[in-house]
Amino acid sequence: YWYVLSFIWLRCVKAKKIRNFGAVENSIEFRSAKTSPIQSFRVSEGEGRSNQMAMSALRREGRRFAPLLSPNPMNVLRSSLAPPLEQASLGVRSVSTQEVQNRMRSVQNIQKITKAMKMVAASKLRAVQSRTENSRGIWQPFTALLGDTPGVDVKKNVIVTITSDRGLCGGMNSKSVKISRALHKLNSGPDKETKYVVLGEKAKAQLSRYSKRDIEISITELQKNALNYTQVSLLADDFLKNVEYDALRIVFNKFQSVVSSVPSMATVLSPEIVDREAVAGGKLGYLDSYEIEGDETKSATLQNLSEFQFSCVMFNAVLENACSEQGARMAAMDGASRNAGDMLDRLTLAYNSTRQAAITTELSEIISGAIAVTG
């Protein structure tokens, strides 16, 4: 309070050059438009023209600092401690232009980063998209021969969840995890066993919170280097040696376009289940109509076909998910860049308004001082 009064005193002395301002005994009272109690103080001066000018100057400064003249000193303390961008709601006249400039600089840096990430994702997408389209022709003949039966009822289910290792790619990873959890719940029972095989850091982090004990194998940084069929086939062979299964359910995101990917699931049955379904005369009953050439038995042939089918489906699923990841990241970074641009426009408008308000206030003070001096 006394700091505000001292500031008003100095402004009045500078504008009017009043020398004996402390000898007055006239009581000057002014009311704040936003504060109900009357803030009063006394000054002494002989009656005359200079006293009237001093009173007008004090009233002008009192209206300017009225929001800060509060009967509760904690309100003034809160206003002084509040962040600059929040002081307008607490009664402060304007936001600091320096704070707005710092915020604008921060948003510009973020926009540069998001644009660079969008360009990197676009280059990676072009590199992997052609390989993804070519890999689709590998597993389709196996699907036509052995079929894809997601509704088959088995006792040992293994859910292979494929996600990315890094974020900033929308909700594609969350969709895969949700489908995996739904499959786990659907295939759980007193006489059933369901396990997870996780590819990707995001799936590992999310599934560890719910079913950590059900995760058999987890692999991360799979996409650190360029993927090829040899690497994926070695991983598939390792899975088949260390996991007992009746059905492998592979959950991944199938790439459709840069802005669209569909969560999908592919099912690979064990040779025993394929033989059982063929004998039962279900969807795989037509397999008995094929003749096997050579000395291999039917079970050995089905074993080889099942393993080869799993490696081909895994290779396509990993590429499809990698392509979907880059497309989703490209779309997410494009949206982030546009949002940063919109925020930058609003901050620029706020900065210009604040700067113009400061200039207008200074001009008003200069004009008021000149009028007061000339009388």
Side-chain angles (χ1 to χ4, degrees):
Y1 179 83
W2 288 110
Y3 172 75
V4 175
L5 294 183
S6 301
F7 184 76
I8 297 174
W9 175 284
L10 294 176
R11 293 297 296 267
C12 293
V13 171
K14 181 179 179 181
K16 294 300 301 172
K17 298 182 181 179
I18 301 175
R19 298 178 180 177
N20 298 324
F21 197 63
V24 187
E25 295 204 356
N26 294 327
S27 177
I28 301 173
E29 297 181 329
F30 66 94
R31 288 178 180 267
S32 168
K34 296 184 181 179
T35 56
S36 56
I38 299 175
Q39 310 293 336
S40 62
F41 54 90
R42 294 179 179 273
V43 295
S44 58
E45 175 61 53
E47 295 183 359
R49 184 176 178 182
S50 61
N51 188 25
Q52 295 177 358
M53 293 181 181
M55 290 173 62
S56 63
L58 286 174
R59 288 194 183 96
R60 185 173 64 253
E61 297 296 334
R63 286 193 299 270
R64 178 178 174 183
F65 288 94
L68 297 179
L69 297 176
S70 174
N72 187 3
M74 291 302 297
N75 291 337
V76 180
L77 181 61
R78 291 194 193 99
S79 298
S80 62
L81 295 179
L85 295 176
E86 299 179 3
Q87 288 182 0
S89 61
L90 296 175
V92 180
R93 184 177 61 179
S94 62
V95 181
S96 171
T97 56
Q98 185 64 36
E99 292 293 332
V100 179
Q101 283 182 331
N102 293 338
R103 187 70 180 273
M104 291 171 61
R105 195 176 297 112
S106 175
V107 173
Q108 286 176 348
N109 294 335
I110 293 174
Q111 189 179 36
K112 291 178 182 178
I113 294 173
T114 54
K115 286 184 177 180
M117 293 183 67
K118 176 186 174 181
M119 295 175 62
V120 172
S123 64
K124 290 183 178 180
L125 177 62
R126 286 193 297 268
V128 75
Q129 185 174 0
S130 59
R131 300 175 60 202
T132 302
E133 294 174 352
N134 294 332
S135 68
R136 292 173 182 171
I138 300 177
W139 62 271
Q140 289 175 353
F142 290 99
T143 303
L145 176 63
L146 301 177
D148 191 350
T149 55
V152 63
D153 188 16
V154 295
K155 293 183 178 181
K156 295 181 180 180
N157 290 276
V158 176
I159 303 172
V160 182
T161 307
I162 303 175
T163 60
S164 64
D165 292 314
R166 294 171 180 81
L168 299 178
C169 54
M172 54 166 288
N173 295 323
S174 300
K175 292 178 183 178
S176 298
V177 172
K178 287 180 181 179
I179 292 176
S180 300
R181 293 183 60 197
L183 288 173
H184 187 278
K185 184 177 180 180
L186 183 64
N187 293 285
S188 297
D191 56 343
K192 294 183 179 181
E193 182 181 4
T194 306
K195 297 293 182 179
Y196 286 114
V197 172
V198 177
L199 276 74
E201 184 65 36
K202 293 301 178 179
K204 178 183 177 182
Q206 295 186 40
L207 291 176
S208 296
R209 294 197 297 264
Y210 305 104
S211 306
K212 187 175 182 179
R213 58 185 179 83
D214 293 331
I215 298 178
E216 285 286 325
I217 301 174
S218 62
I219 298 176
T220 59
E221 299 294 336
L222 180 62
Q223 302 176 16
K224 189 173 183 179
N225 300 318
L227 293 174
N228 52 44
Y229 180 76
T230 304
Q231 295 175 347
V232 178
S233 62
L234 290 175
L235 287 176
D237 186 61
D238 189 42
F239 293 162
L240 296 177
K241 289 179 179 179
N242 293 280
V243 177
E244 296 182 1
Y245 72 97
D246 291 332
L248 290 165
R249 306 182 188 275
I250 306 169
V251 180
F252 61 99
N253 289 277
K254 187 175 183 179
F255 177 78
Q256 287 190 336
S257 65
V258 177
V259 295
S260 176
S261 61
V262 180
S264 305
M265 184 187 70
T267 305
V268 178
L269 302 178
S270 65
E272 294 80 8
I273 301 299
V274 172
D275 191 18
R276 186 192 71 181
E277 292 294 322
V279 172
K283 294 183 178 180
L284 301 180
Y286 60 88
L287 289 178
D288 289 335
S289 60
Y290 288 95
E291 295 182 1
I292 300 175
E293 296 180 356
D295 298 333
E296 290 187 356
T297 61
K298 180 180 178 181
S299 60
T301 303
L302 290 177
Q303 178 76 26
N304 294 333
L305 286 175
S306 178
E307 293 178 357
F308 193 39
Q309 180 192 14
F310 177 58
S311 62
C312 292
V313 172
M314 273 283 296
F315 179 60
N316 174 255
V318 170
L319 289 178
E320 293 275 2
N321 197 82
C323 202
S324 301
E325 175 191 355
Q326 301 303 331
R329 183 172 289 113
M330 184 178 172
M333 292 302 103
D334 181 63
S337 300
R338 289 199 303 267
N339 292 337
D342 295 340
M343 184 179 293
L344 193 60
D345 293 339
R346 292 195 297 268
L347 289 173
T348 303
L349 182 61
Y351 172 75
N352 293 335
S353 300
T354 304
R355 187 169 58 89
Q356 187 63 38
I359 295 173
T360 305
T361 302
E362 295 297 330
L363 288 175
S364 300
E365 292 175 354
I366 293 172
I367 294 171
S368 299
I371 294 175
V373 169
T374 57

